[in-house]
């Protein structure tokens, strides 16, 4: 394998568990992995959640607000918050 490719791949790989500023994303990712989902599948699921958030931000013309997101999770009874605060 080309060394440039492996170096580029290792620096571009990211995981929600490396994002301490988004604890809900790390909890969501880890729960999916615990359920037996592969890394790729867990990232696709997390990406799908982000797409919903981005779509809403685009529709409303707003920026991402972690506190608003947390309030919306509480309002809608998100299972991620239940695990996160356990």
């Amino acid at each position: 394998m080309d060394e440039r490719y492996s170096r580029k791949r290792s620096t571009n790989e990211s995981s929600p568990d490396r994002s301490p500023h988004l604890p809900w994303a790390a909890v969501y990712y880890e729960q999916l992995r615990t359920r037996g989902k592969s890394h790729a599948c867990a990232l696709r699921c997390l990406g799908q959640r982000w797409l919903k958030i981005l779509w809403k931000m685009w529709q409303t013309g707003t920026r991402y607000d972690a506190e608003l997101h947390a309030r919306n999770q509480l309002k809608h009874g998100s299972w991620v918050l239940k695990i996160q605060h356990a």
Side-chain angles (χ1 to χ4, degrees), residues 1-12:
M1 178 184 288
D2 188 350
E3 182 182 320
R4 290 173 295 158
Y5 174 77
S6 64
R7 182 175 43 234
K8 181 179 178 183
R9 179 142 171 90
S10 67
T11 58
N12 285 339

Side-chain angles (χ1 to χ4, degrees), residues 70-84:
R71 285 194 306 270
N72 284 336
Q73 285 181 313
L74 282 172
K75 179 180 174 182
H76 297 286
S78 172
W79 60 266
V80 174
L81 285 181
K82 293 173 186 168
I83 293 171
Q84 186 176 342

Side-chain angles (χ1 to χ4, degrees), residues 31-83:
Q31 183 63 24
L32 291 171
R33 295 290 286 155
T34 300
R35 292 182 185 175
K37 302 291 184 187
S38 69
H39 171 72
C41 182
L43 287 181
R44 283 192 301 272
C45 292
L46 183 59
Q48 194 66 20
R49 289 199 96 158
W50 272 114
L51 284 174
K52 289 180 181 182
I53 293 168
L54 291 171
W55 176 256
K56 189 64 169 181
M57 289 167 42
W58 184 51
Q59 293 294 310
T60 59
T62 57
R63 293 182 178 195
Y64 180 74
D65 180 354
E67 291 180 18
L68 175 63
H69 184 82
R71 285 194 306 270
N72 284 336
Q73 285 181 313
L74 282 172
K75 179 180 174 182
H76 297 286
S78 172
W79 60 266
V80 174
L81 285 181
K82 293 173 186 168
I83 293 171

